């Protein structure tokens, strides 16, 4: 009878050891996944900073392009209005 109890406990210990080994493997995999995730997030951060800088540069280029057209339109309006203003003065 004591031998049966000992065998039962040994089997339970073997099952428990297997579960602990599986848990350790799972934790090691999670650790590797976290390292990979950390690298990917770092790369994403660098890419987002570069994107932001390029977006700001493009924004200012487009703003000056728009202002350039406003200035050209204003100069053309002045050139066209100068003869008309001279007539009335």
């Amino acid at each position: 009878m004591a031998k049966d109890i000992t065998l039962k406990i040994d089997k339970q210990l073997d099952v428990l050891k297997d579960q602990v080994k599986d848990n350790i493997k799972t934790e090691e995999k999670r650790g590797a996944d976290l390292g990979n995730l950390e690298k990917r997030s770092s790369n994403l951060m660098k890419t987002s900073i570069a994107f932001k800088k390029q977006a700001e540069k493009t924004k200012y280029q487009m703003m000056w392009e728009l202002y350039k057209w406003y200035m050209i339109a204003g100069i053309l309006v002045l050139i066209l209005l100068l003869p008309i203003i001279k007539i009335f003065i």
Side-chain angles (χ1 to χ4, degrees):
M1 174 102 92
K3 199 172 197 180
D4 291 338
I5 293 175
T6 305
L7 288 175
K8 186 176 178 182
I9 291 173
D10 282 343
K11 286 182 183 179
Q12 288 176 348
L13 283 174
D14 288 339
V15 169
L16 185 60
K17 279 197 262 181
D18 291 338
Q19 287 177 348
V20 169
K21 287 179 184 177
D22 288 343
N23 286 343
I24 290 172
K25 286 178 185 177
T26 302
E27 288 301 317
E28 287 175 349
K29 185 177 183 237
R30 284 183 186 158
D33 289 345
L34 284 176
N36 186 21
L37 183 60
E38 189 174 304
K39 288 178 186 176
R40 288 174 49 198
S41 66
S42 175
N43 288 338
L44 183 59
M45 177 75 86
K46 290 175 187 175
T47 303
S48 68
I49 290 170
F51 177 79
K52 182 179 178 184
K53 286 181 182 179
Q54 185 61 40
E56 288 174 354
K57 183 179 176 182
T58 303
K59 176 184 166 184
Y60 288 120
Q61 285 176 343
M62 296 306 292
M63 180 182 69
W64 284 110
E65 185 73 22
L66 181 65
Y67 289 155
K68 179 178 79 173
W69 285 110
Y70 283 152
M71 288 189 286
I72 290 171
I75 291 170
L76 285 176
V77 167
L78 283 176
I79 291 173
L80 293 174
L81 288 179
L82 278 178
I84 297 172
I85 293 173
K86 284 186 178 184
I87 293 174
F88 291 110
I89 292 181

